[in-house]
Amino acid sequence: MVSRLMKFLLPIKDSKYFLLLSEVLKSGLEKHGQKVDIILRDELSKNPDCIKNYDFVFVFTITGDWIRDLAIEYGKPYIYMDKGYCRNARLRDPEAFIRFSPNNWQPLKYLKKFSDRNDRWEELLSIPIRKHTKDGKLISVETLDPKPHHKKDGEFILLAGSSAKYHLYMDIEDPTTFARGVVKKLGELTDRTIIYRPKPSWNAKEDVEGTIYIGSRKVKFHELLKKDLYCVITHTSNAALEANFYGVPTIVLGDAIAKPISSTKLNHINDIYKPTLEEKHSLGRSLSYFQYKMKEIEEGTMFENLKEVFEEELNGS
């Protein structure tokens, strides 16, 4: 079946990885008869009017916030690209997943469209997100395979911070100010102990009064999940997905991918939502259609699966 012709603009940095990704994406889209033009970000900043000639603009990572703003200014849909949900490899690794989200930070609007499709999810469940070794030998692996929620409520609330770049991208207060506000509100609602873990890579992170502060990069998130946690709270971090699938309830205050299986307000803290195992698998089936490896992108699999979504965006659905 011939796809509707769409014209895509892909602004990139002048770097080896961006060049590789752009050629892979161009190849995959052209396999379906689509038109793709690659432009350096510097050139786009000098000639923003060129956006008028395209149906979609790709925005790759938070550093492309100004490109998103340009697309909105010119009334053009954008496709946001960033790290996938299965963190099996670093972003620049060819085996890493890249997520595609039309006109939003996360593809929440379209999740139900793929909630009954098992093929990609079944494959994803076999991919390790973490490997455990002893004396150089592999002893176990962890995948995204969801677990039921713990029967007994835990003691600690874990507040997982997002990056400063994300807060700028979303035009919300800085992470420390945001965290202080959350901690203050929680203090009015519960006596539970709060653990605060800011984004480990954020150099300007600070302690927040009233919490057990964990700012060290050496303390890994998956290690904290093994503590006696009551819930994990975040604005958008992928930590919510990993926590919820691990069996820990979550509160999502922004548009994290785990939002459909989470509470969304702090005043739900004493009656937190605990999704069923099927609800978690349903989300897994859906999100698997919005992340792809380099090879899949180059082969055209991403466009083949999401072309109807892109068409809906063009039609203003």
Side-chain angles (χ1 to χ4, degrees):
M1 181 177 177
V2 178
S3 303
R4 170 182 172 179
L5 174 62
M6 304 180 207
K7 297 171 69 177
F8 296 86
L9 181 64
L10 179 52
I12 65 169
K13 293 180 181 178
D14 187 9
S15 72
K16 183 177 179 180
Y17 177 68
F18 269 77
L19 290 167
L20 172 62
L21 178 60
S22 64
E23 290 299 332
V24 163
L25 188 52
K26 181 180 175 70
S27 175
L29 290 169
E30 288 181 343
K31 280 182 171 65
H32 291 276
Q34 306 305 304
K35 179 175 173 54
V36 185
D37 287 332
I38 300 169
I39 185 174
L40 290 176
R41 288 184 174 185
D42 288 345
E43 292 302 315
L44 176 61
S45 66
K46 297 172 185 175
N47 182 28
D49 281 355
C50 72
I51 283 182
K52 295 178 180 178
N53 302 319
Y54 297 90
D55 296 309
F56 282 101
V57 182
F58 282 104
V59 177
F60 187 51
T61 75
I62 285 176
T63 60
D65 57 348
W66 62 274
I67 301 172
R68 172 206 59 184
D69 294 344
L70 269 181
I72 293 171
E73 179 183 340
Y74 282 89
K76 296 295 182 179
Y78 66 90
I79 301 168
Y80 184 74
M81 301 166 59
D82 210 323
K83 295 175 184 176
Y85 308 111
C86 177
R87 302 290 170 84
N88 62 313
R90 293 184 178 276
L91 186 57
R92 294 175 184 271
D93 189 311
E95 288 299 303
F97 286 96
I98 298 171
R99 81 171 184 262
F100 292 79
S101 179
N103 264 340
N104 219 319
W105 175 254
Q106 298 286 0
L108 300 175
K109 176 181 176 182
Y110 292 104
L111 292 179
K112 288 185 179 180
K113 185 181 286 289
F114 301 97
S115 61
D116 61 348
R117 303 190 189 181
N118 254 324
D119 53 336
R120 291 187 63 81
W121 180 229
E122 289 178 352
E123 181 181 351
L124 195 62
L125 289 176
S126 67
I127 298 176
I129 59 171
R130 198 168 295 111
K131 298 178 180 180
H132 301 283
T133 60
K134 185 176 182 180
D135 300 326
K137 295 182 178 179
L138 181 67
I139 56 174
S140 65
V141 297
E142 294 180 45
T143 71
L144 278 180
D145 195 9
K147 300 178 177 62
H149 276 290
H150 304 325
K151 294 181 179 180
K152 181 182 176 182
D153 288 344
E155 176 185 354
F156 299 99
I157 295 170
L158 174 58
L159 175 57
S162 302
S163 69
K165 289 180 180 179
Y166 167 78
H167 281 248
L168 286 171
Y169 185 88
M170 290 297 183
D171 194 26
I172 55 179
E173 57 195 354
D174 71 89
T176 301
T177 302
F178 178 81
R180 286 173 178 151
V182 171
V183 171
K184 182 176 183 297
K185 181 65 176 178
L186 288 173
E188 299 168 358
L189 298 169
T190 180
D191 294 328
R192 287 187 171 87
T193 302
I194 302 168
I195 300 171
Y196 174 49
R197 181 183 186 260
K199 182 80 170 180
S201 58
W202 183 35
N203 293 328
K205 53 185 175 284
E206 300 177 37
D207 192 354
V208 170
E209 186 177 354
T211 70
I212 298 173
Y213 176 68
I214 300 180
S216 172
R217 291 192 182 199
K218 294 180 180 180
V219 181
K220 305 301 182 184
F221 179 74
H222 68 274
E223 295 170 352
L224 294 176
L225 287 179
K226 296 175 182 178
K227 291 185 175 291
D228 188 23
L229 294 184
Y230 172 71
C231 73
V232 170
I233 300 175
T234 187
H235 196 277
T236 191
S237 175
N238 202 63
L241 180 69
E242 189 171 344
N244 208 301
F245 278 14
Y246 189 77
V248 178
T250 48
I251 296 180
V252 166
L253 302 175
D255 281 342
I257 193 63
K259 189 173 183 177
I261 55 172
S262 305
S263 290
T264 56
K265 295 181 180 179
L266 292 177
N267 58 14
H268 295 164
I269 189 67
N270 295 310
D271 188 24
I272 199 163
Y273 184 65
K274 297 179 180 179
T276 65
L277 197 55
E278 170 53 27
E279 286 177 298
K280 297 184 187 189
H281 278 285
S282 176
L283 176 60
R285 291 192 288 268
S286 296
L287 66 82
S288 68
Y289 268 82
F290 289 92
Q291 62 164 27
Y292 296 87
K293 294 181 180 181
M294 283 270 203
K295 184 179 179 182
E296 293 179 306
I297 298 170
E298 187 171 28
E299 291 173 345
T301 305
M302 180 278 293
F303 184 78
E304 176 66 27
N305 289 338
L306 297 182
K307 61 185 177 182
E308 289 184 9
V309 169
F310 296 158
E311 288 173 350
E312 285 186 33
E313 284 296 322
L314 281 183
N315 293 332
S317 301

